[in-house]
Amino acid sequence: MMAPQMTAQPTDRSSAIPWVAPFAVFMAWLALGPSLAIPQPWESVARVAVLLAVLLAVSRDLIVSLRVRHVLPSVLIGLGVFVIWIAPDQLFSAYRSHWLFQNSVTGTISTSIPANELADPLVVSLRVFRAAILVPILEELFWRGFLPRWIVHTEWSKVPLGSYTTVAFVGTALLFASEHGPFWDVGLLCGLIYNGWMWKTRSLGDLVLVHAVTNAALAGFVLVTKQYAYWM
């Protein structure tokens, strides 16, 4: 009885690479990127190039297999999440300055692009491309494709996409919220909505579309209003 278990675990570990590696590289760059001291626009070029290379090298088959089955509802949900994301700060000017959102644990709000570099069209274009195209793919592979199934069972590849358990559903939403620092509250709502749509559709392609619409709408809002705090 031990032999099947011994062979199943390495298989699951290796098969997790396409689901996890792009997100891991993304998070590593966020953490270590500033210490590299690469000047703009080369930092933006390098970041997009690295993320794109990792996605194509290790996750290409997953990306090709993505299918959108509910286009209009997914677009509308994506726009709805965008509204949720900006609404508190637009309705209440001092909302985000409360200690619940900016503190030693969640951090403080600061844009990831210095003001003088926001005038560079290439830097801004690459930021929009990363937010609207690359991030939805690499985050959804991890947050909705891998992690909930791994929480359900360590032999996660045997767990169908969109499977529901309370721990997986709530746990991934909480972790997703923690990724967004001072915006954890809207990040939590976003995570719950995305998880619910994943459970409803069982379609990772639809989640990528929802996420892409949210991020694209937010990017457009930032560029029009110059509220760069949303680009952390």
Side-chain angles (χ1 to χ4, degrees), residues 7-8 18 37 72 75 115 123 137 145-146 153 155 165 167 178 190 203:
T7 57
L72 182 58
V75 169
V123 172
I137 296 172
F146 169 77
H153 200 288
E155 292 188 27
T165 69
V167 172
S178 71
C190 173
S203 170

Side-chain angles (χ1 to χ4, degrees), residues 128-143:
V128 173
F129 176 76
R130 190 171 77 243
I133 304 297
L134 299 183
V135 169
I137 296 172
L138 63 88
E139 285 205 340
E140 290 310 315
L141 289 178
F142 178 76
W143 287 116

Side-chain angles (χ1 to χ4, degrees), residues 21-22 25-26 29 36 38 43-57 134 138:
V25 171
F26 173 63
W29 193 288
L36 299 176
I38 303 173
E43 191 278 339
S44 293
V45 172
R47 189 187 304 204
V48 167
V50 168
L51 293 177
L52 189 58
V54 173
L55 281 167
L56 293 177
L134 299 183
L138 63 88

Side-chain angles (χ1 to χ4, degrees), residues 95-113:
Y95 178 83
R96 199 62 57 185
S97 62
H98 195 279
W99 65 266
L100 280 172
F101 306 114
Q102 297 193 67
N103 52 63
S104 60
V105 176
T106 61
T108 57
I109 296 175
S110 61
T111 181
S112 59
I113 306 177

Side-chain angles (χ1 to χ4, degrees), residues 143-164:
W143 287 116
R144 254 60 64 178
F146 169 77
L147 188 60
R149 293 193 287 165
W150 182 83
I151 293 174
V152 171
H153 200 288
T154 53
E155 292 188 27
W156 62 275
S157 62
K158 299 178 182 178
V159 180
L161 284 166
S163 295
Y164 177 89

Side-chain angles (χ1 to χ4, degrees), residues 53-123:
V54 173
L55 281 167
L56 293 177
V58 304
S59 307
R60 182 177 61 254
D61 291 343
L62 291 178
I63 295 170
V64 170
S65 70
L66 293 174
R67 296 291 183 274
V68 178
R69 300 170 183 167
H70 311 278
V71 176
L72 182 58
S74 293
V75 169
L76 293 176
I77 290 171
L79 291 173
V81 172
F82 156 69
V83 172
I84 290 172
W85 201 273
I86 66 169
D89 304 288
Q90 305 310 306
L91 294 174
F92 309 101
S93 59
Y95 178 83
R96 199 62 57 185
S97 62
H98 195 279
W99 65 266
L100 280 172
F101 306 114
Q102 297 193 67
N103 52 63
S104 60
V105 176
T106 61
T108 57
I109 296 175
S110 61
T111 181
S112 59
I113 306 177
N116 63 312
E117 294 168 2
L118 289 167
D120 189 328
L122 179 59
V123 172

